[in-house]
């Protein structure tokens, strides 16, 4: 197979785009997809500072690289969860990557704010992934807000977004359907959330890392039962295999023609939020979810 | 496994209902599902005459039986398509079934109205299944309208409905999403369309026929490439296997919480229809689709 762009030997085959690319042209393709996402969904205005949530996995490291290559002002934030045999090496790998590439990186240790995940796991009686996600989202947003970042970028890819959309469709959850998308505007103490990789599949970010020699962390979290939405991702992989391009078509059709039908319900259905009595961030109760968890752990 | 209702040996296992049933109790369950569908979606008012579209397959024969057992006034209409080696034996089997069970049955031969399907297939340059479906829908509705039936019942089951819903969701087709459902109200020369089996799966109608000794036609149409939406049905079969009850939950959630969001667009998006200059039935052009096909065949 030949590269669609330059005619050299192709290294990556992309049936959904009826194309194959050599390494150099694949990188151009990848960058172009991110550029399109950023432009179409008003993710980053010129000169704005962007905080990138960096887990150390393929998506977040690729995101740092590509946003920087596109000329954006990026800073990483890695949240060290305090999980034995996992958090230390993941953090070291992330720090090494940012150092070698000249990316600014901050590390926030949840243990320093009373929320080391092993202690949280022992204290709460809910699935730890949901609780850990809540804590990470809180601190990513808080760090961005308190340090003047205009946007928080996460490495969610097309497979993540399609699986989440499908989960929301299966329940016909109008509130979630009305707000799902690649850009969530800022509101009060919530900074703008953006997903610049939403047009790229897991396979494509993995290929990008491989071709760029990005040494990302590959092991799953020892506390998780594997990746989220595994079943739905498998299902859409089958669909994509049968008709290439179906995933991006489904998601883009949702953005163009589906989401608007849920906008009104989303406005009505959102909970009224007031400042948390402890941390001051938006909360549905007197204490926000994270401060309630911290209180539980402290007991 | 024991029957959930009477404790005898179960013959049918239904993970989606956390139940197994003996033959007698499965029949009660089956009837109950149809009763619920008819009541919840105002399908049939007391004393109304119902025309049942009878292809001779498992779903339509089961539908005749169960609606009759529930005390409804049912008449069958079989459309003989004129397909060699297929239409004659299917029609004979359908006639025998109705005769043995004392059901009134009418047979309409598309060849008598200039639309034998082999001739249609030779004249049109589109997939024959879509064209054949259009012709059948036209004549089922027309027969019902001209003979004073209040409703036209079809044998669409849960798998059919879920696959169709998923196809509409994949394209985010708001007009179709706004009108999909187990009951489509009458409007002008369109009689009410009802799908009393929408809460029962293909497996359940097959089991019903097997246990009731209903000798239905099993071969696929020689002109079709197999059942419609095969890929989507396989996909939801996998989902159902992983979490039993997902199919009915998805469809019922759509009816309860999803469909309403598309109602407005459906009203706006529907084409303005005027009477066909030839047959008088609602049409988007001067001649309706069926009369246009007939003209093509006549040439």
């Amino acid at each position: 197979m030949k590269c669609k762009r330059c005619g050299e030997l192709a290294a990556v085959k992309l049936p959904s785009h009826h194309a194959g690319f050599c390494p150099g042209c694949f990188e151009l393709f990848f960058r172009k997809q991110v550029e399109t996402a950023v432009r179409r969904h008003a993710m980053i205005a010129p000169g704005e500072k962007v905080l990138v949530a960096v887990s150390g996995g393929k998506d977040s490291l690729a995101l740092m690289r590509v946003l920087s290559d596109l000329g954006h002002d990026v800073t990483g934030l890695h949240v060290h969860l305090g999980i034995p045999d996992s958090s230390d090496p993941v953090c070291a790998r992330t720090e090494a990557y940012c150092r070698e590439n000249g990316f600014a990186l901050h590390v926030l240790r949840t243990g320093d704010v009373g929320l080391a995940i092993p202690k949280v796991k022992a204290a709460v009686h809910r699935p730890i992934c949901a609780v850990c996600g809540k804590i990470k989202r809180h601190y990513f947003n808080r760090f961005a807000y308190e340090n003047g970042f205009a946007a928080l970028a996460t490495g969610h890819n097309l497979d993540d977004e399609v699986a989440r959309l499908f989960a929301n469709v299966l329940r016909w959850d109008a509130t979630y359907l009305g707000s799902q998308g690649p850009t969530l505007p800022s509101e009060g103490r919530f900074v703008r959330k953006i997903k610049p990789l939403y047009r790229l599949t897991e396979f494509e970010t993995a290929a990008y890392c491989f071709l760029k020699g990005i040494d990302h962390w590959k092991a799953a979290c020892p506390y998780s039962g594997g990746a989220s939405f595994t079943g739905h991702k498998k299902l859409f992989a089958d669909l994509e295999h049968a008709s290439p391009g179906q995933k991006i078509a489904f998601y883009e059709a949702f953005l163009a023609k589906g989401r608007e039908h849920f906008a009104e319900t989303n406005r009505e259905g959102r909970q009224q939020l007031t400042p948390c009595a402890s941390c001051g961030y938006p909360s549905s109760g007197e204490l926000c979810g994270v401060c309630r968890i911290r209180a539980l752990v402290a007991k």
Side-chain angles (χ1 to χ4, degrees), chain A:
Chain A
M1 188 176 201
K2 286 187 176 175
C3 173
K4 188 185 181 179
R5 198 168 160 276
C6 73
E8 292 294 309
L9 188 67
V12 186
K13 188 182 170 185
L14 301 178
S16 62
H17 295 268
H18 310 288
F21 291 111
C22 73
C25 293
F26 176 71
E27 191 184 335
L28 288 179
F29 157 84
F30 192 91
R31 210 184 283 186
K32 185 97 187 143
Q33 293 299 321
V34 176
E35 214 176 357
T36 300
V38 169
R39 190 184 61 244
R40 280 198 197 156
H41 297 282
M43 291 185 181
I44 309 168
E48 282 187 338
K49 282 171 61 189
V50 179
L51 184 69
V52 178
V54 196
S55 68
K58 65 183 188 321
D59 300 312
S60 60
L61 298 193
L63 179 59
M64 278 295 271
R65 175 81 268 160
V66 68
L67 285 182
S68 169
D69 287 352
L70 285 169
H72 298 295
D73 178 354
V74 289
T75 298
L77 175 62
H78 178 76
V79 172
H80 184 298
L81 302 165
I83 299 174
D85 304 326
S86 169
S87 297
D88 280 342
V90 178
C91 185
R93 180 81 60 92
T94 307
E95 286 177 320
Y97 174 77
C98 289
R99 198 169 46 240
E100 286 157 18
N101 287 274
F103 299 140
L105 178 75
H106 297 272
V107 175
L108 189 150
R109 292 169 184 270
T110 62
D112 293 347
V113 289
L115 290 166
I117 297 299
K119 289 190 179 166
V120 172
K121 191 171 189 296
V124 301
H125 303 286
R126 282 184 288 158
I128 188 62
C129 292
V131 179
C132 181
K134 184 191 275 284
I135 292 170
K136 285 191 289 186
R137 282 193 301 276
H138 175 87
Y139 282 103
F140 279 128
N141 176 70
R142 188 166 172 170
F143 189 95
Y145 182 76
E146 291 177 359
N147 292 282
F149 290 93
L152 170 66
T154 53
H156 293 96
N157 58 43
L158 180 62
D159 295 277
D160 298 325
E161 288 301 286
V162 163
R164 177 177 301 274
L165 175 57
F166 186 57
N168 291 335
V169 166
L170 278 180
R171 294 192 315 276
W172 290 98
D173 188 318
T175 306
Y176 282 178
L177 285 166
S179 68
Q180 187 175 350
T183 296
L184 193 64
S186 67
E187 194 181 343
R189 285 199 185 200
F190 287 126
V191 301
R192 186 190 318 144
K193 311 287 188 308
I194 62 174
K195 298 169 181 171
L197 301 184
Y198 91 90
R199 293 173 54 81
L200 292 154
T201 64
E202 227 160 70
F203 169 78
E204 287 157 1
T205 62
Y208 178 82
C209 286
F210 176 78
L211 294 170
K212 299 278 286 178
I214 296 175
D215 184 24
H216 58 90
W217 188 254
K218 294 178 188 74
C221 171
Y223 284 3
S224 87
S228 59
F229 296 126
T230 313
H232 296 172
K233 285 184 179 173
K234 166 80 174 62
L235 189 145
F236 272 88
D238 293 348
L239 199 67
E240 182 74 18
H241 184 75
S243 40
Q246 186 79 80
K247 278 191 295 201
I248 185 82
F250 169 54
Y251 195 73
E252 289 287 8
F254 168 71
L255 295 179
K257 301 188 292 174
R259 186 170 55 169
E260 62 190 272
H261 296 282
F262 303 97
E264 185 62 31
T265 314
N266 177 254
R267 272 191 295 277
E268 292 165 1
R270 271 186 297 177
Q271 288 182 293
Q272 283 302 316
L273 301 178
T274 49
C276 166
S278 170
C279 72
Y281 278 80
S283 167
S284 58
E286 201 194 332
L287 279 186
C288 77
V290 172
C291 288
R292 282 200 302 272
I293 296 164
R294 196 190 339 266
L296 263 178
V297 173
K299 262 202 254 179

